[in-house]
């Protein structure tokens, strides 16, 4: 369930999201669509976002998807895969472990170069605080998503992340679309509305580097439905992927229009 407080009517919703079939066809033809999921802070919902998007692209859109797990500390995605394989589940996407240290360590720039032409969608799950990898990600991703719960405790590092993304984006030759959204939302409260307002307060008088948070339409906030928490051992159902599908079809609308017009 998306954020019912901001639900557009049917026609309005159609205008906000790219149609499923055209997204699938566009991605298959284009290939190498790199989505980064990154906030320079731990625990904001990055790996869950990467996982649900990968499941949506693979199971609903039938695409060839790989997740690059850059998180040296927790390696949540790689461990999630091991966990589900042990339970006999079929994993519909590939995972590449991207270690930061040791003999196999290479830069994310090199890693993404080595994947060129091989997959329809590449999703990079960023570790909480690795700035160098984040900069490589901003230089290559076409879409960068910054999930966080609607709480100052989680959004605290979003401004610093946006500033880093803004300076790294100049290295990106294709162009990068950057979006914030709230996840882990209880739509029975107005926390998302309150936090969105708090984050949009422009402190530019005192801070000339202030970057206004580029929020997705608030309808596409993601719920804190229990299946997200259970997904450590329970494979999400197709219907659990619906709100993620809407979110990413919304985030991709402008990118598809822009690239098709070029
Ligand atoms: N939409 C959601 N609803 C409920 N719980 C969620 C949701 N998204 C994430 N969580 C929970 O929040 C916690 C942190 O999520 P996650 O591991 O995805 O964050 P992360 O940003 O990848 O953390 P890290 O920086 O450690 O890699 C987990 O317990 C996860 O189950
Ligand atoms: Mg993680």
């Amino acid at each position: 369930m998306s954020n019912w407080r901001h639900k557009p009517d049917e026609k309005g919703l159609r205008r906000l999201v790219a149609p499923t079939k055209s997204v699938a066809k566009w991605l298959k033809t284009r290939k190498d669509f790199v989505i980064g999921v990154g906030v320079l802070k731990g625990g904001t919902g990055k790996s869950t976002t990467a996982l649900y998007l990968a499941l949506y692209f693979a199971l609903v859109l039938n695409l060839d998807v790989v997740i690059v797990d850059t998180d040296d500390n927790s390696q949540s995605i790689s461990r999630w895969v091991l966990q589900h394989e042990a339970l006999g589940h079929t994993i519909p996407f590939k995972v590449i472990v991207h270690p930061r240290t040791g003999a196999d360590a290479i830069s994310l720039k090199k890693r993404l170069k080595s994947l060129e032409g091989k997959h329809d969608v590449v999703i990079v799950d960023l570790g909480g605080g690795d700035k160098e990898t984040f900069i490589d990600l901003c230089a290559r991703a076409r879409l960068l998503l910054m999930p966080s719960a609607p709480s100052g405790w989680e959004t605290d590092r979003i401004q610093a992340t946006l500033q880093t993304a803004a300076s790294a984006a100049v290295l990106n030759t294709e162009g990068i679309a950057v979006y914030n959204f709230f996840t882990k939302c209880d739509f029975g409260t107005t926390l998302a509305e309150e936090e969105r307002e708090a984050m949009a307060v422009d402190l530019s008088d005192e801070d000339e580097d202030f970057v206004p948070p580029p929020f997705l339409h608030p309808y596409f906030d993601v719920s804190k439905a229990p299946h997200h928490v259970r997904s450590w051992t329970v494979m999400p159902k197709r219907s659990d992927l619906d709100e993620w599908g809407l979110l990413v079809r919304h985030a991709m609308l402008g990118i598809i229009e822009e690239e098709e017009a070029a």
Side-chain angles (χ1 to χ4, degrees):
M1 184 190 63
S2 308
N3 193 341
W4 54 267
R5 285 174 197 279
H6 302 277
K7 191 171 196 281
D9 59 23
E10 278 298 310
K11 217 167 137 196
L13 183 58
R14 272 202 301 276
R15 270 202 295 266
L16 286 171
V17 298
T20 313
K21 272 196 188 140
S22 65
V23 174
K25 195 169 155 208
W26 186 81
L27 285 167
K28 248 193 201 327
T29 316
R30 184 193 192 276
K31 297 196 81 75
D32 285 325
F33 189 73
V34 180
I35 303 178
V37 187
V39 180
L40 296 172
K41 183 178 191 337
T44 68
K46 297 177 295 294
S47 298
T48 309
T49 298
L51 171 68
Y52 275 73
L53 291 183
L55 290 172
Y56 172 75
F57 284 123
L59 293 175
V60 181
L61 302 191
N62 217 3
L63 296 168
D64 178 343
V65 184
V66 64
I67 298 185
V68 180
D69 182 358
T70 76
D71 195 343
D72 264 359
N73 282 332
S74 43
Q75 293 198 334
S76 309
I77 294 291
S78 319
R79 289 158 57 80
W80 180 92
V81 167
L82 290 176
Q83 172 83 6
H84 281 262
E85 279 176 348
L87 290 165
H89 300 163
T90 305
I91 314 298
F93 54 82
K94 296 179 196 70
V95 174
I96 292 180
V97 179
H98 176 78
R100 240 192 327 150
T101 50
D104 297 334
I106 55 170
S107 67
L108 185 65
K109 186 177 175 180
K110 278 197 183 145
R111 176 78 60 192
L112 293 174
K113 185 100 193 126
S114 76
L115 290 173
E116 268 174 22
K118 297 201 173 129
H119 305 279
D120 299 325
V121 182
V122 178
I123 300 176
V124 181
D125 179 17
L126 196 89
D130 177 9
K131 211 163 163 177
E132 230 171 274
T133 308
F134 183 65
I135 290 170
D136 275 358
L137 180 58
C138 292
R140 180 62 182 85
R142 189 65 184 86
L143 172 63
L144 176 68
L145 294 172
M146 297 188 190
S148 69
S151 155
W153 290 96
E154 293 222 357
T155 60
D156 181 46
R157 294 283 296 156
I158 296 271
Q159 186 54 223
T161 309
L162 282 169
Q163 286 171 356
T164 307
S167 48
V170 296
L171 305 168
N172 192 313
T173 51
E174 285 188 327
I176 179 172
V178 179
Y179 293 112
N180 295 117
F181 69 95
F182 289 136
T183 183
K184 304 188 249 183
C185 288
D186 174 356
F187 300 133
T189 75
T190 55
L191 285 172
E193 287 70 21
E194 291 166 41
E195 188 57 27
R196 211 176 333 261
E197 246 174 64
M199 285 175 71
V201 173
D202 187 345
L203 304 169
S204 54
D205 284 349
E206 297 129 59
D207 181 3
E208 59 188 27
D209 296 329
F210 180 82
V211 181
F215 276 110
L216 291 172
H217 185 287
Y219 177 60
F220 303 101
D221 286 341
V222 171
S223 72
K224 101 173 165 194
H227 64 78
H228 293 107
V229 181
R230 293 195 183 109
S231 63
W232 185 249
T233 49
V234 181
M235 187 62 88
K237 296 197 293 286
R238 272 208 175 209
S239 55
D240 298 337
L241 308 176
D242 286 350
E243 56 186 324
W244 291 96
L246 283 172
L247 175 140
V248 80
R249 284 164 56 204
H250 172 55
M252 287 179 65
L253 182 67
I255 297 174
I256 295 177
E257 284 173 356
E258 199 181 296
E259 289 199 9
E260 278 182 344

